[in-house]
Amino acid sequence: MEQRSDLDVQPSSELWFAALGPLEGAWRGERLNLGGAKQQAVLSLLLLEANRVVSVDRLLRWVWDDTDDARRASTLQVYVSNLRRILAPVSEELGRQLIVTQRPGYMLQVNDDESVLLLFEAWCRAGEEALQAGQPDRAATALRSALALWRGELLDGLPVDITEVGGAARLDLLRTAVLERIAEAELAAGRHREFLSELETWVAAHPLDERLRGHLMLALYRCGRQADALARYREGRELLVEELGIDPSRELRELQNQILNQDRSLDWTSAGLRNLGDAESTALRSSVLVTSAVLELPDRVVPLERSITTIGRLPDQDLVLDDVGVSRRHAEIRRHGGSYRLVDAGSANGTVVNGSRIAEHALVDGDVIRVGDVEMTFRTGT
């Protein structure tokens, strides 16, 4: 059977870029010839960072892992020129330039309905809003629409290392979060029996995801399979100890105890659907589906889910940085609703934001934070 592409999901716009799988582009139903692999790699990073400026240095590292060779910079200019030529008829029809030059690099300007990546996040937000409003059926529909946009691995087939881009890592985190939230919506709607087989498959694919495992335990319990629910807990605990050397989370342990005690709060009732946003969930849930904010580091993405995220060298810190320039307790990021504030904790070498040392700073999307020799970028989920 022929593999479907992102383009089989009908967009609401005449222009369409797909990347949750192979990189593709279309204009009025006709595929765009985007050129060779390296030229496509240039476009792929611009698409991952759509509506944000991508520096020339970042593009050079992304395509060639090299910023010092002047010939690479010239070749990059050629690739950008080629992409503009390919997109020229589209730009003329739309009345706007798609790839613009803006120091220190380039930016791809697209709307939500012109990029599968942006549409994915839009569906995620819609699903989250429905779940918070106590509408699990609507939430499940939106979240499954988001999941359906994935047709393989991100940028499948391109010679690029997606782990080098924080935005790519954030999308991967968000894809897993979608599974967690679909599970929550299906359980809230009382479809534990119908959903059980699919949930088993997801847990097998993500065996260390405690939220998915918690949802599976609850589904099994509601299906009258208490012993199986407890067996899934034991399997998860053994995996966590073996793979990571840690015990299950407090929430998962509490769920196990509730199942052991046949806690009636675990039972599904339609009355419990009146306002999911205000109610205590009987399953493990993430604080939000579209992660409110993250810190993008060179080797990882750290979700800022706690009210206070501590940063330092000590192992008890939420974000541990093994760098001699980092104090044992260096800084904190404090979350107040949808806003985030970075506070230096009296560190020896200071905390720097966008090149300036700060004592306290209200974070905005794109702020570059330096702690010791470690640089990270603050990103919001909006």
Side-chain angles (χ1 to χ4, degrees), residues 11-88:
S12 59
S13 171
E14 294 179 308
L15 175 64
W16 187 242
F17 289 109
L20 301 180
L23 178 69
E24 298 171 311
W27 170 243
R28 293 179 174 170
E30 296 292 326
R31 288 178 183 264
L32 296 169
N33 182 355
L34 301 175
K38 290 193 181 298
Q39 184 167 296
Q40 289 187 39
V42 172
L43 179 61
S44 71
L45 184 55
L46 294 176
L47 189 59
L48 280 172
E49 300 289 348
N51 303 315
R52 294 179 178 134
V53 178
V54 182
S55 70
V56 169
D57 284 351
R58 269 192 81 189
L59 284 162
L60 292 174
R61 286 195 300 270
W62 173 253
V63 180
W64 291 285
D65 194 26
D66 184 2
T67 62
D68 296 328
D69 192 334
R71 292 172 299 177
R72 303 294 196 201
S74 297
T75 304
L76 174 62
Q77 290 179 337
V78 171
Y79 287 156
V80 171
S81 178
N82 289 343
L83 289 169
R84 281 175 168 157
R85 177 178 48 78
I86 292 166
L87 297 172

Side-chain angles (χ1 to χ4, degrees), residues 363-380:
L363 291 166
V364 297
D365 183 59
D367 276 347
V368 177
I369 304 166
R370 182 164 56 81
V371 177
D373 288 330
V374 180
E375 278 199 355
M376 60 197 88
T377 303
F378 174 79
R379 294 290 191 194
T380 63

Side-chain angles (χ1 to χ4, degrees), residues 95-283:
R96 73 176 193 270
Q97 188 73 16
L98 293 174
I99 300 178
V100 299
T101 301
Q102 187 170 325
R103 297 183 63 181
Y106 304 96
M107 177 170 61
L108 177 67
Q109 298 184 127
V110 289
N111 299 323
D112 282 359
D113 60 355
E114 294 170 344
S115 164
V116 69
L117 302 175
L118 297 179
L119 186 59
F120 169 69
E121 296 194 17
W123 275 119
C124 288
R125 289 192 295 271
E128 173 66 14
E129 290 168 2
L131 203 53
Q132 292 296 327
Q135 300 172 332
D137 290 319
R138 182 165 154 257
T141 298
L143 294 167
R144 287 188 180 279
S145 295
L147 191 63
L149 293 172
W150 288 81
R151 297 296 177 220
E153 295 303 314
L154 187 67
L155 299 175
D156 193 18
L158 278 187
V160 293
D161 183 2
I162 62 171
T163 62
E164 293 297 316
V165 176
R170 186 174 67 85
L171 283 167
D172 192 51
L173 283 173
L174 190 52
R175 184 184 188 182
T176 303
V178 168
L179 300 181
E180 296 169 2
R181 294 302 247 172
I182 290 174
E184 183 175 343
E186 296 288 1
L187 291 175
R191 289 190 287 269
H192 35 274
R193 293 186 185 280
E194 300 90 333
F195 180 57
L196 184 59
S197 177
E198 188 175 19
L199 186 51
E200 289 266 22
T201 301
W202 291 355
V203 171
H206 304 274
L208 297 178
D209 190 305
E210 292 183 83
R211 292 189 178 106
L212 280 178
R213 187 168 295 275
H215 291 316
L216 176 58
M217 290 166 58
L218 180 60
L220 287 165
Y221 177 77
R222 287 180 176 174
C223 289
R225 297 169 57 181
Q226 182 180 6
D228 289 335
L230 294 171
R232 294 296 185 276
Y233 173 82
R234 290 192 296 271
E235 291 170 3
R237 183 182 183 280
E238 291 170 2
L239 278 170
L240 287 167
V241 171
E242 181 180 341
E243 298 288 333
L244 303 176
I246 60 174
D247 287 324
S249 66
R250 175 176 54 82
E251 291 83 1
L252 201 63
R253 296 197 305 270
E254 287 177 355
L255 181 59
Q256 179 211 24
N257 288 331
Q258 286 180 292
I259 292 172
L260 283 168
N261 296 325
Q262 298 183 7
D263 191 327
R264 297 193 65 178
S265 69
L266 298 183
D267 297 339
W268 180 84
T269 61
S270 58
L273 300 180
R274 283 196 299 266
N275 194 338
L276 290 176
D278 296 334
E280 288 284 336
S281 174
T282 55

